[in-house]
Amino acid sequence: MFCIGIYSSLKKTGELNLYSSLQEEKLNIKPGSNGTNSVKLGKCHLILAQKKIKNKQMKSLFNYIKEVIYAFVSLAKGLLLTLRYFITIKKVNITEEYPNNRTTTISVKERFYGEVVLPHNENNEHKCTACTLCQMACPNNSIQIISKQIETEDGKKKRVLDKWVYHLDSCTFCYQCIDACPQDAIEMKNSFELSVYDRTKLIYQLNRPGSKLKEKPTVKEQQS
Amino acid sequence: MISMIEFTDITAWIHSLLLSVLTPTWTYIVELALSGVTALVVLLVCVIIMVYMERKVAGFMQLRWGPNRVGPYGIFQVIADVIKLLLKESFSPNRADKVMFNIAPALALCVSLMALAPISWAPGLTMWDTNIGILFITAISSMGVIGILMAGWSSNNKYSLIGAMRSGAQIVSYELSAGLSIITAVALAGTLSTNGIIQSQADGWWILKGQIPAIIAFLIYVIASTAECNRAPFDLAEAESELTAGYHTEYAGMQFGIFYLNEYINMAIVSIIASTLFLGGWMPFHLPFDYPVVQTFNHIMDFIPTWMWFFGKMFLIIFFMMWFRWTFPRLRIDQLLKLEWKYLLPISIVNLLFAAVIIVLHWHL
């Protein structure tokens, strides 16, 4: 139908007639006198121009149809995506129904910054050397390292951790203390249910009572 | 057998019951009131289902659960919303045109309910069985913009006015291609009566029998009617990111509720018309062939009651419209008009020509 429309419009403007008559002349071009040839060559250019016009119209029509088809294809892609979600909602849904599933299926990513913890091993040993780098790195003074002097067996005086005080009420969970720690003594847990009714309860002592620094293996031990 | 009880039996029973009590004039009046109330109640129940369905479909398509707090699976959410809307105060802003402001929602609702009259709900169950049913519906459905324009104009708010004007431009544009695709179906059926159109699909729906033109016309009708209902992706009239809420920005309480209801009633009517024209209304799914297997199949299909076919098709098209809403982004106003005038209208005109050729040459099944 489109082609018929284009054909008739071309016919109406006389372009098609001109085109066909010129086409006939084009076939009659023979090597002859230069003058006539040059005229005919000019006519040849005209033919090419006419052809271009026709091509342009065909091309725009082609582009129109292509646009419509492309539009439908791309819309169908979107529709299929949402239909897939609609059908497989039980699998693809990522909503946590939080208060209902807090004890069952809840999953919080490991990378979530919850609270700072000082891990202890089974011998009640931690890795904190009380260097206070975390305290200095903390932008809002949430960390307070209280150290004490002790005397070791061989009579040396040594500074060890007494209290690792963590003020959760002012912590912004910025992770800078963990970055600053040279011993990797502290880390962040993904626990998030941290609210309490009294803000004085938000001050924690992270090192357990009676815990001590985990001794590093000496050079001799490492070699053996 | 359940399918032996037809709606015509029930109506005949009610008619004889009323006649035994009342005079014929009063019987007529009571029957008129009864049919109107029944249609309204059925439609309101459909709207309640649709609102719940919309929220669930929206949730599922966006990887959410949708409403799930009020009642099991959130089924009482809509009722809670309606109670909230009923309890809220309806007020009109200062310097608004008070009369027009208060009339507008009612008028919009009236206009969309008027389109219910010629709809064929089941065999023999039509409120106004006229021979120009589809013409009446096309005439009425473009009147819906009056309520919107009135609301936008009388609110004394430029956002409302812009929204209403956009809605006007949109409905005037999309009315054309919707009308042309309706004409395609009417030309195939050869009648304007809704009952006649459904009867003509007794041996197969037009979307199957009418070949490619019917499919194209159906697609265009669904697109254009989505636009006529002012639903996303064509919801420029209430584009909330630009115009707060468009024409119903200033409305509160149940006046807003009526506009909301109106949107869903329009959706229901549009999908009923689409199913009447292309999917055979209450007609069961029949195949237009003459083999014994096909005849058995057609006979099995007859066992599914007509009301199930009717509401099934209606909700199928409503699901399409919701599917569009939660998939496509909103069009800009120039894109909206470009889509209509550069694409849908030329395609539907050419499509109508094709359909005419097919009808004249009896190529349709």
Side-chain angles (χ1 to χ4, degrees):
Chain A
M1 203 56 72
F2 279 116
C3 297
I4 294 164
I6 292 287
Y7 182 84
S8 58
S9 72
L10 281 175
K11 216 172 181 181
K12 214 180 272 173
T13 51
E15 280 169 353
L16 205 73
N17 292 339
L18 190 67
Y19 173 72
S20 53
S21 64
L22 284 170
Q23 188 114 29
E24 282 160 19
E25 275 192 46
K26 189 189 172 188
L27 294 171
N28 294 333
I29 294 172
K30 281 166 196 166
S33 60
N34 284 335
T36 50
N37 250 4
S38 68
V39 169
K40 281 186 176 170
L41 269 173
K43 278 185 179 173
C44 276
H45 282 297
L46 220 130
I47 291 163
L48 288 174
Q50 295 288 339
K51 253 189 179 173
K52 249 183 198 168
I53 287 167
K54 203 195 166 194
N55 279 346
K56 236 180 187 176
Q57 279 177 340
M58 287 308 289
K59 213 175 178 183
S60 63
L61 178 65
F62 178 71
N63 281 343
Y64 180 89
I65 294 165
K66 205 172 80 179
E67 245 171 62
V68 172
I69 291 167
Y70 177 74
F72 268 97
V73 169
S74 70
L75 291 179
K77 268 184 198 166
L79 286 173
L80 283 178
L81 183 75
T82 43
L83 186 69
R84 209 188 68 217
Y85 288 161
F86 181 76
I87 292 167
T88 60
I89 182 67
K90 287 246 164 76
K91 277 185 205 163
V92 294
N93 196 339
I94 51 166
T95 310
E96 296 280 358
E97 290 184 272
Y98 167 57
N100 297 348
N101 70 348
R102 57 180 298 219
T103 53
T104 51
T105 59
I106 192 158
S107 76
V108 183
K109 289 281 184 290
E110 277 295 313
R111 59 174 186 268
F112 182 78
Y113 293 169
E115 60 176 328
V116 177
V117 289
L118 184 68
H120 291 66
N121 66 2
E122 61 276 7
N123 299 330
N124 205 10
E125 288 171 335
H126 56 76
K127 287 194 264 181
C128 181
T129 57
C131 65
T132 69
L133 278 175
C134 51
Q135 188 180 347
M136 285 188 269
C138 185
N140 38 14
N141 287 336
S142 304
I143 298 169
Q144 229 180 326
I145 308 287
I146 299 166
S147 55
K148 61 182 178 189
Q149 293 276 349
I150 57 158
E151 215 164 299
T152 51
E153 291 152 7
D154 42 342
K156 279 183 189 168
K157 278 188 175 173
K158 201 181 173 190
R159 204 160 59 104
V160 293
L161 181 71
D162 184 23
K163 279 176 184 169
W164 208 108
V165 183
Y166 176 39
H167 295 264
L168 183 59
D169 51 353
S170 61
C171 180
T172 57
F173 312 104
C174 66
Y175 208 71
Q176 288 189 29
C177 49
I178 287 108
D179 281 340
C181 185
Q183 312 290 335
D184 291 333
I186 46 176
E187 56 189 50
M188 258 185 166
K189 238 168 76 179
N190 61 357
S191 58
F192 60 96
E193 289 176 326
L194 303 170
S195 52
V196 288
Y197 282 103
D198 187 358
R199 67 178 291 190
T200 56
K201 286 178 187 165
L202 286 171
I203 299 165
Y204 295 103
Q205 186 187 336
L206 293 190
N207 57 325
R208 290 182 198 152
S211 64
K212 59 177 197 279
L213 179 67
K214 186 184 177 189
E215 294 297 331
K216 276 183 188 167
T218 55
V219 180
K220 260 186 189 174
E221 280 170 353
Q222 271 181 353
Q223 280 171 350
S224 67
Chain B
M1 266 163 54
I2 302 161
S3 60
M4 291 301 284
I5 302 167
E6 297 284 346
F7 283 107
T8 41
D9 301 335
I10 299 169
T11 47
W13 178 73
I14 290 171
H15 182 72
S16 57
L17 188 77
L18 286 172
L19 266 183
S20 64
V21 186
L22 303 164
T23 59
T25 324
W26 275 107
T27 306
Y28 184 64
I29 291 167
V30 168
E31 274 174 0
L32 278 184
L34 213 61
S35 60
V37 169
T38 315
L40 205 61
V41 166
V42 167
L43 210 64
L44 285 180
V45 170
C46 283
V47 167
I48 286 173
I49 296 168
M50 275 156 68
V51 173
Y52 176 70
M53 180 178 156
E54 168 115 88
R55 303 181 76 169
K56 273 292 182 194
V57 168
F60 286 4
M61 284 185 176
Q62 298 177 335
L63 307 185
R64 297 184 283 113
W65 282 125
N68 62 356
R69 297 285 121 180
V70 192
Y73 301 100
I75 50 171
F76 299 127
Q77 183 70 51
V78 186
I79 292 160
D81 286 349
V82 169
I83 290 169
K84 186 204 85 171
L85 283 175
L86 282 171
L87 293 177
K88 277 176 89 173
E89 183 193 359
S90 298
F91 60 90
S92 42
N94 282 345
R95 307 188 60 181
D97 193 331
K98 293 267 169 14
V99 178
M100 263 164 108
F101 187 84
N102 289 316
I103 284 177
L107 199 78
L109 188 66
C110 275
V111 168
S112 46
L113 286 178
M114 263 153 85
L116 277 182
I119 283 169
S120 178
W121 298 86
L125 204 69
T126 314
M127 276 199 276
W128 182 36
D129 193 4
T130 171
N131 57 351
I132 52 151
I134 292 297
L135 183 68
F136 178 79
I137 287 169
T138 11
I140 285 299
S141 64
S142 54
M143 294 286 288
V145 73
I146 293 290
I148 291 172
L149 275 175
M150 205 180 249
W153 171 257
S154 61
S155 292
N156 189 28
N157 175 341
K158 44 184 168 300
Y159 285 157
S160 302
L161 187 61
I162 293 170
M165 288 300 161
R166 282 182 181 183
S167 178
Q170 187 178 324
I171 289 181
V172 166
S173 308
Y174 278 83
E175 193 63 31
L176 295 169
S177 45
L180 281 171
S181 34
I182 287 176
I183 288 174
T184 311
V186 167
L188 283 165
T191 171
L192 275 168
S193 135
T194 45
N195 266 323
I197 288 170
I198 292 173
Q199 291 296 345
S200 73
Q201 303 177 66
D203 56 340
W205 303 343
W206 280 124
I207 199 159
L208 294 175
K209 288 198 296 177
Q211 319 246 19
I212 296 162
I215 295 167
I216 294 173
F218 177 69
L219 284 176
I220 288 173
Y221 185 74
V222 170
I223 295 168
S225 58
T226 312
E228 269 188 75
C229 291
N230 283 321
R231 278 184 64 81
F234 307 104
D235 61 342
L236 288 140
E238 47 174 289
E240 65 269 9
S241 48
E242 308 158 33
L243 307 177
T244 350
Y247 61 91
H248 57 60
T249 306
E250 299 291 349
Y251 284 90
M254 210 51 212
Q255 284 180 331
F256 166 75
I258 289 174
F259 275 121
Y260 197 69
L261 180 72
N262 191 28
E263 183 189 330
Y264 283 91
I265 288 180
N266 270 334
M267 244 171 101
I269 288 168
V270 157
S271 24
I272 289 170
I273 295 163
S275 80
T276 302
L277 290 172
F278 298 101
L279 303 179
W282 41 260
M283 193 61 83
F285 182 74
H286 289 161
L287 286 170
F289 306 110
D290 218 15
Y291 308 113
V293 183
V294 172
Q295 279 172 349
T296 321
F297 175 79
N298 289 351
H299 196 64
I300 290 167
M301 284 294 144
D302 285 337
F303 279 97
I304 300 173
T306 50
W307 61 269
M308 268 175 113
W309 284 107
F310 185 85
F311 288 107
K313 287 167 195 172
M314 179 180 141
F315 278 106
L316 181 75
I317 294 165
I318 286 170
F319 175 74
F320 282 161
M321 290 167 82
M322 289 175 180
W323 193 7
F324 298 156
R325 175 166 181 180
W326 298 108
T327 305
F328 302 140
R330 184 185 301 131
L331 275 74
R332 241 175 16 230
I333 185 77
D334 63 317
Q335 291 170 333
L336 180 93
L337 295 177
K338 189 178 149 193
L339 174 68
E340 164 63 19
W341 295 99
K342 276 184 76 179
Y343 295 96
L344 290 187
L345 189 63
I347 290 172
S348 48
I349 289 170
V350 171
N351 184 48
L352 183 59
L353 282 174
F354 270 123
V357 168
I358 281 176
I359 293 157
V360 167
L361 299 178
H362 291 287
W363 281 353
H364 60 86
L365 300 168

